[in-house]
Amino acid sequence: MIIIKQRRSCSKPAEKYDVVFTTGGVSVGERDFVADIISEAGELLFHRVAVRPGKPIAVGIVNDTPVFALPGKPTGAFTALEMVVRSYFTYMPRATHALKINEDVMLPEKDFEYILFVKIVNNTASAMGRKTKLFDGDYETAIISASRDLP
């Protein structure tokens, strides 16, 4: 595994490996410069998608090597891997199972696709990342890991 630190190029890893993955540094903050690094070293295909969690993904080609810059938060990285990167490697369909969610879920922003993490107990899906499980409020992907062990 190669970790790109500071403002280093991803050219060397792209020459050495068949595919390059990074995590973090791909959003819009002061220290988020991975998309710029990809753009400077090769071709940035896209940056950001309308999916939550997982919005700050960047994908590019450097030295004929695909570079996937994943979000730093674990739920965002997992979602980006599953929804974007997975299709690069396989056309295998995802396993699906239709269940009703046992409560209404209010999504905070329109114009986004939301990946809803759920806990399934007795064929009932309960939304994870709900402040109502911990406090009060809307669905927030940032608190999913904090609510993973709730009943």
Side-chain angles (χ1 to χ4, degrees):
M1 179 196 315
I2 297 294
I3 299 172
I4 299 173
K5 295 181 180 178
Q6 300 169 1
R7 285 196 69 103
R8 297 182 183 164
S9 174
C10 58
S11 295
K12 287 184 182 181
E15 289 173 3
K16 186 174 181 180
Y17 299 101
D18 294 331
V19 64
V20 176
F21 290 91
T22 69
T23 58
V26 73
S27 192
V28 293
E30 176 181 307
R31 297 175 56 185
D32 295 322
F33 45 75
V34 177
D36 293 336
I37 290 172
I38 294 169
S39 184
E40 291 166 9
E43 178 185 4
L44 183 65
L45 300 176
F46 64 88
H47 182 208
R48 297 188 200 106
V49 293
V51 174
R52 298 225 181 198
K55 176 184 175 185
I57 185 174
V59 177
I61 304 291
V62 176
N63 298 328
D64 295 323
T65 301
V67 178
F68 297 97
L70 305 174
K73 292 182 180 176
T75 54
F78 174 79
T79 301
L81 275 169
E82 182 62 25
M83 302 306 294
V84 177
V85 178
R86 184 180 198 270
S87 63
Y88 176 81
F89 293 101
T90 183
Y91 291 110
M92 185 182 299
R94 290 177 184 83
T96 61
H97 187 76
L99 293 171
K100 288 187 178 182
I101 298 175
N102 67 351
E103 58 190 320
D104 290 338
V105 176
M106 301 302 294
L107 302 175
E109 293 182 59
K110 296 182 186 298
D111 301 324
F112 277 89
E113 293 291 326
Y114 280 83
I115 306 305
L116 190 64
F117 288 81
V118 297
K119 182 174 187 176
I120 300 171
V121 177
N122 298 326
N123 283 328
T124 301
S126 299
M128 303 299 289
R130 289 289 308 269
K131 282 189 177 178
T132 54
K133 300 287 187 196
L134 300 173
F135 315 104
D136 286 318
D138 295 332
Y139 179 71
E140 287 192 24
T141 59
I143 65 169
I144 292 170
S145 62
S147 64
R148 67 181 169 81
D149 293 327
L150 293 174

